[in-house]
Amino acid sequence: MQRAIYPGSFDPMTFGHLDIIERAASIFDELTVSVLNNTAKTPLFSVEERVNILKEATAHLPNVKVESFSGLLIDYAKKKDIHVAIRGLRAITDFEYELQIAQTNKKLSRESLDTIFLTTSLEYAYLSSSSVKEIAYFGGDISQCVPKFVADKVYEKYGFPQNGVENE
Ligand code: PNS
């Protein structure tokens, strides 16, 4: 059975993430989407909230599990006996950062963890969780970036009515 981990912050999950999840789930027998519990950052959503969002968004994918992890990805992967990490590449600007992490993980894991990159579908190449948060912070329209139930939660965090101020 071929298994993979898709790690990330997912703060919040976007259509770009969902696209990578759906495609990775069609390649691997089992995909574990894992939310990093990074105590050094102050996220918009708690780990539990991000896990729940991912669970709801992937409920139609029977071979996808959602979990969280702390610490190094290689340690978490080793504990689960998984040897492939999935990451999405949107543009060349992602590549340098992702290559460095992939090579670090390969070296640190003593060749046990490989990274497979999926190129984000062009329609989502512009998307990032940071821009979603910035647009929503100013009450802009994020309906093309995240599922409706996620947009509602993001606006709620910023104290807006459900569709943001611009669409009232
Ligand atoms: O969604 P993100 O924030 O780009 O995801 C980054 C993530 C979670 C994949 C990466 O930061 C990670 O794996 N962190 C866990 C700590 C770790 O293993 N660091 C070693 C790689 S330099």
Side-chain angles (χ1 to χ4, degrees):
M1 179 151 113
Q2 291 294 333
R3 297 184 300 145
I5 295 175
Y6 178 27
S9 302
F10 305 106
D11 186 39
M13 181 212 75
T14 67
F15 281 133
H17 294 129
L18 198 51
D19 170 53
I20 298 291
I21 292 170
E22 285 173 344
R23 284 161 51 215
S26 73
I27 297 169
F28 289 88
D29 298 310
E30 187 183 282
L31 179 71
T32 304
V33 182
S34 295
V35 177
L36 174 66
N37 186 0
N38 186 352
T39 46
K41 276 191 187 171
T42 312
L44 183 62
F45 290 96
S46 70
V47 172
E48 292 71 27
E49 287 172 321
R50 284 178 274 160
V51 165
N52 287 337
I53 286 172
L54 281 157
K55 280 186 177 166
E56 189 168 340
T58 60
H60 62 297
L61 301 167
N63 63 334
V64 171
K65 294 200 294 188
V66 184
E67 295 183 353
S68 62
F69 76 105
S70 312
L72 291 178
L73 177 64
I74 57 156
D75 293 334
Y76 170 68
K78 188 175 177 185
K79 228 183 296 166
K80 297 185 70 66
D81 195 25
I82 294 179
H83 304 279
V84 176
I86 301 291
R87 291 287 288 168
L89 280 181
R90 288 166 301 189
I92 196 74
T93 41
D94 282 342
F95 184 72
E96 211 171 320
Y97 168 72
E98 293 294 342
L99 180 69
Q100 191 190 10
I101 293 186
Q103 288 174 335
T104 304
N105 284 336
K106 177 99 173 155
K107 189 88 180 156
L108 269 182
S109 69
R110 299 180 188 277
E111 312 283 310
S112 161
L113 186 66
D114 257 310
T115 302
I116 291 182
F117 295 108
L118 292 181
T119 51
T120 303
S121 298
L122 280 180
E123 58 189 307
Y124 304 125
Y126 68 97
L127 263 181
S128 73
S129 297
S130 313
S131 57
V132 167
K133 284 181 277 192
E134 188 160 324
I135 295 165
Y137 177 80
F138 291 109
D141 180 10
I142 55 170
S143 61
Q144 294 180 72
C145 309
V146 296
K148 167 89 170 72
F149 81 95
V150 180
D152 290 347
K153 290 179 195 295
V154 176
Y155 288 129
E156 195 185 325
K157 287 278 178 190
Y158 291 122
F160 286 121
Q162 284 199 340
N163 290 321
V165 289
E166 283 183 358
N167 303 316
E168 280 182 320

